[in-house]
Amino acid sequence: MSTTKRTPGAEYKRWLKEMDAADKRVRRWNKQGNNIQARYQDRRGMTGAAGYDVDNTTNFAKSYRVNLFNTNVTMLKSMLFGNTPKVDVARRYADPDDDVARVASMMLGRLLNNDFYASGSDTESVFKHVLEDRLLPGFGLARVRYDYESSYEEVEAITSPDGTVLADAYEEETLNGESAPVDYIHWDDVRWGWARTWTEVPWIAFRSYLTKGEATTRFGKEVAEQLTYDKKTIKDVTDKRLTSDETADAHQRAEIWEIWEKKTKKIYWWHREFEKILDKKDDTLKLYGFWPCPCPWIANPVTNLFLPQPDFAIAQDLYNEIDQLETRIAIITEAVKVVGVYDKTNIAVGRIFTEGVDNDLIPADNWQSFSEKGGLEGVISWVPLADIVAALEKLVDMRTDAMTLLYEVTGMSEIMRGSSGPDRETADASNNKKQFASVRVQALQEELARFVTDTMCLKAEVISRHYEAQTIIDQSNIKYTADGKDPRIVEAAVQLIKTPDQSGWRIKIEPETMAMLDYQSMTAERTMFLENLGSFLSASKQ
């Protein structure tokens, strides 16, 4: 089988075709994601803002909204990510006398947990952003990198007494520090090749924005001079009140795509207006699965096309119905007031409600005529409030039914929202209701834990393949432990870490370590443990 070497121009055209096709695939979803974020923030104050073509509301000035979507998403975020994750690293086979593997797992666990607890670390924020992207546009992603800092020191040439150069002068590189940061990837800054599932994805691309100085440092002055630079702005939230100039970045930047192709194990840097590949490198991370990111956390995937479907889209009709009912309720509520008509020839009747105070009498000009007409009942006709109030009560009932149905569709049951059940509901029924209502939340907790675990596995592999041995020892602080006093065990543990293809670590993050604590359940469990412990101690004394 013969292969044809592509020229830089041909490679550019190939990726232009791929990126155009990817843009078309995600175009509707990107627009939908922007609308959902606007709906979540309730941007009705921005005339013309994105976010309101997902429903049939046309008159925003007179519309009212019960933003249950914001409430539900906020509650889910708090429930799913209420605590800092704790990474657990263990040996795959817990052999009792394998001290080397035990120490190695402890060192690797410390390296992974450092980013969550170290001052100034942003790894926790990365996963919170990923969670929010999953709950709103339906696509959350993060990636790992390997960074290092080094300095160069010139070593002088070695000469003999007679002036003969025995060794030429050279620059020696000294490693000053290493890191494996986890970067948040915005849901709109990623593209991928056509695929039905994640395992079929042929390539994935990440977008970044570089200033001219950054582009010069990365690609050289000649290339940087030919790139197109624009001010980065948020076009989807601009309107008459908030213009594109007001949301624009202070600097002009070039849009650069970093493309990872799995088949060729190559990394390309591509710019749409530069008709050549900016740069191409072999796989730099050498990861087992090639990708620098875990499988994206997408909402409601199916196997006909790898594309997310946001949760909001599934329940948007109910959200819109509730808003329409709320608008009608608000309008009718304004009509619930004492108003009517009266005979204008009886001026005194009008003065009753404008001038009358407590214990005050208003004189009538023609009392005989006023009496013949039946008094106040004969000259005043009130708006029938009973019909209006009945319609209002019916709308309130309809809104309650729609909200109940929404909770069923979204999985936010009454128990999960903190409200009580019927007065005569048994304890078993209440517990069963709570258990089944939390199934969907538990599934999301498992998915979040899976995503964080997969990301930390990639980070562990980067550490194993690229960190220097001394960096692993220093950053794990193993030398301050009892096991660290034995240099032979430490050295063997580091060597075990440096062989990721053979070590076989089991890295796990339990969902309950991140979820919001249920203090009532936790108190009951601890009380039960102490009671059982007390019973055991009493029985052991006999």
Side-chain angles (χ1 to χ4, degrees):
M1 181 178 178
S2 60
T3 57
T4 303
K5 185 177 181 180
R6 291 189 178 95
T7 63
E11 288 183 330
Y12 165 81
K13 292 180 180 178
R14 178 171 76 98
W15 287 115
L16 176 63
K17 185 177 180 179
E18 289 278 4
M19 294 298 291
D20 284 344
D23 286 341
K24 291 178 181 178
R25 279 195 301 272
V26 302
R27 183 174 300 161
R28 288 189 177 182
W29 166 63
N30 282 349
K31 181 179 180 181
Q32 187 182 39
N34 289 322
N35 291 336
I36 290 172
Q37 286 189 329
R39 182 66 177 263
Y40 174 74
Q41 292 183 324
D42 202 352
R43 297 184 192 147
R44 281 177 296 172
M46 300 180 180
T47 305
Y52 298 99
D53 56 353
V54 294
D55 55 29
N56 297 321
T57 304
T58 56
N59 191 349
F60 308 129
K62 294 183 179 180
S63 65
Y64 297 83
R65 176 159 294 167
V66 182
N67 201 341
L68 295 177
F69 179 58
N70 182 288
T71 302
N72 291 342
V73 171
T74 301
M75 179 176 294
L76 282 175
K77 287 196 298 184
S78 301
M79 294 176 64
L80 296 174
F81 207 130
N83 294 282
T84 301
K86 183 179 179 181
V87 185
D88 177 32
V89 181
R91 299 162 290 174
R92 181 167 296 177
Y93 306 105
D95 299 325
D97 297 328
D98 193 358
D99 288 336
V100 173
R102 178 180 56 80
V103 174
S105 62
M106 180 172 63
M107 295 173 67
L108 190 56
R110 289 186 171 195
L111 288 171
L112 296 179
N113 282 300
N114 280 345
D115 282 353
F116 289 106
Y117 297 102
S119 177
S121 173
D122 201 40
T123 303
E124 184 173 340
S125 298
V126 168
F127 291 121
K128 287 183 177 180
H129 296 328
V130 169
L131 173 60
E132 182 174 300
D133 286 352
R134 162 59 182 84
L135 297 177
L136 294 179
F139 186 96
L141 187 61
R143 61 169 294 184
V144 297
R145 288 185 296 110
Y146 170 68
D147 283 345
Y148 69 93
E149 295 181 1
S150 62
S151 59
Y152 292 88
E153 183 178 354
E154 186 174 353
V155 179
E156 298 179 354
I158 300 176
T159 59
S160 63
D162 59 0
T164 303
V165 177
L166 301 178
D168 295 331
Y170 65 94
E171 286 188 342
E172 183 178 18
E173 183 179 11
T174 302
L175 184 66
N176 298 329
E178 296 176 283
S179 63
V182 178
D183 295 334
Y184 161 72
I185 304 297
H186 188 268
W187 58 274
D188 193 27
D189 288 340
V190 59
R191 299 288 186 271
W192 57 91
W194 189 95
R196 291 170 296 186
T197 61
W198 171 247
T199 56
E200 295 181 356
V201 172
W203 58 267
I204 188 168
F206 310 102
R207 176 166 52 189
S208 59
Y209 297 90
L210 303 183
T211 63
K212 192 171 185 179
E214 294 170 339
T216 301
T217 302
R218 176 62 183 83
F219 304 110
K221 183 177 180 181
E222 182 180 355
V223 173
E225 291 289 342
Q226 302 179 57
L227 301 181
T228 302
Y229 300 88
D230 294 309
K231 286 186 176 181
K232 185 180 178 183
T233 186
I234 308 175
K235 298 179 181 179
D236 296 301
V237 298
T238 58
D239 65 346
K240 297 178 181 179
R241 238 177 10 97
L242 192 60
T243 65
S244 58
D245 290 337
E246 292 172 326
T247 63
D249 189 5
H251 304 280
Q252 290 190 332
R253 302 176 185 270
E255 181 182 299
I256 308 296
W257 287 93
E258 178 185 338
I259 307 171
W260 291 61
E261 188 178 25
K262 189 173 185 178
K263 182 178 180 180
T264 61
K265 304 289 185 181
K266 300 286 185 181
I267 308 171
Y268 302 86
W269 282 264
W270 182 81
H271 179 68
R272 183 174 290 275
E273 280 75 30
F274 187 76
E275 297 186 359
K276 292 182 181 179
I277 292 296
L278 299 176
D279 194 10
K280 180 174 68 173
K281 291 184 178 181
D282 293 329
D283 183 10
T284 55
L285 293 180
K286 307 295 182 182
L287 299 176
Y288 176 76
F290 178 69
W291 302 122
C293 61
C295 175
W297 190 11
I298 72 173
N300 308 301
V302 292
T303 56
N304 62 348
L305 184 63
F306 189 72
L307 195 66
Q309 174 72 334
D311 293 335
F312 176 82
I314 297 176
Q316 63 179 330
D317 290 339
L318 288 172
Y319 283 114
N320 295 336
E321 180 184 353
I322 293 171
D323 290 339
Q324 291 173 0
L325 291 171
E326 180 62 24
T327 299
R328 294 177 182 178
I329 290 172
I331 293 173
I332 293 180
T333 300
E334 294 179 358
V336 180
K337 53 187 176 183
V338 179
V339 62
V341 294
Y342 70 96
D343 185 359
K344 69 178 182 179
T345 59
N346 291 283
I347 301 177
V349 175
R351 293 172 57 194
I352 291 177
F353 296 97
T354 58
E355 302 177 15
V357 294
D358 293 341
N359 301 323
D360 193 11
L361 295 175
I362 305 297
D365 294 334
N366 192 339
W367 176 257
Q368 183 176 359
S369 175
F370 181 71
S371 301
E372 291 175 354
K373 292 181 179 181
L376 286 176
E377 295 182 357
V379 296
I380 296 180
S381 179
W382 300 103
V383 172
L385 288 181
D387 295 338
I388 298 176
V389 171
L392 181 61
E393 292 176 349
K394 183 62 176 178
L395 287 173
V396 171
D397 292 339
M398 293 174 63
R399 184 187 62 182
T400 302
D401 293 341
M403 291 172 64
T404 302
L405 183 58
L406 175 66
Y407 298 152
E408 294 294 333
V409 172
T410 59
M412 303 296 293
S413 69
E414 293 180 359
I415 295 296
M416 297 303 294
R417 292 184 59 85
S419 60
S420 59
D423 294 337
R424 297 183 179 180
E425 188 174 46
T426 64
D428 290 339
S430 179
N431 291 333
N432 290 334
K433 186 177 181 181
K434 183 175 181 179
Q435 178 182 357
F436 287 106
S438 63
V439 167
R440 188 173 302 184
V441 175
Q442 290 176 358
L444 285 174
Q445 290 174 342
E446 293 287 347
E447 291 177 11
L448 175 60
R450 187 274 309 169
F451 182 87
V452 178
T453 297
D454 291 348
T455 305
M456 301 313 291
C457 286
L458 292 176
K459 180 182 175 71
E461 192 175 353
V462 170
I463 292 173
S464 300
R465 295 188 185 277
H466 299 283
Y467 272 32
E468 295 291 335
Q470 191 59 44
T471 303
I472 295 176
I473 295 173
D474 293 341
Q475 293 190 7
S476 65
N477 286 328
I478 192 64
K479 57 186 177 182
Y480 297 108
T481 66
D483 295 307
K485 305 300 182 181
D486 189 343
R488 293 176 301 176
I489 293 182
V490 173
E491 182 179 355
V494 171
Q495 292 303 317
L496 184 60
I497 292 175
K498 294 289 291 179
T499 56
D501 296 329
Q502 302 175 9
S503 53
W505 301 112
R506 181 182 61 81
I507 299 176
K508 180 69 174 177
I509 298 176
E510 298 294 342
E512 55 267 21
T513 64
M514 292 185 294
M516 183 68 71
L517 293 177
D518 186 345
Y519 291 101
Q520 183 176 359
S521 299
M522 183 177 64
T523 301
E525 291 175 0
R526 292 180 177 179
T527 302
M528 183 180 297
F529 171 77
L530 293 176
E531 291 176 353
N532 292 335
L533 179 62
S535 300
F536 171 77
L537 294 176
S538 299
S540 63
K541 293 179 180 179
Q542 296 177 358

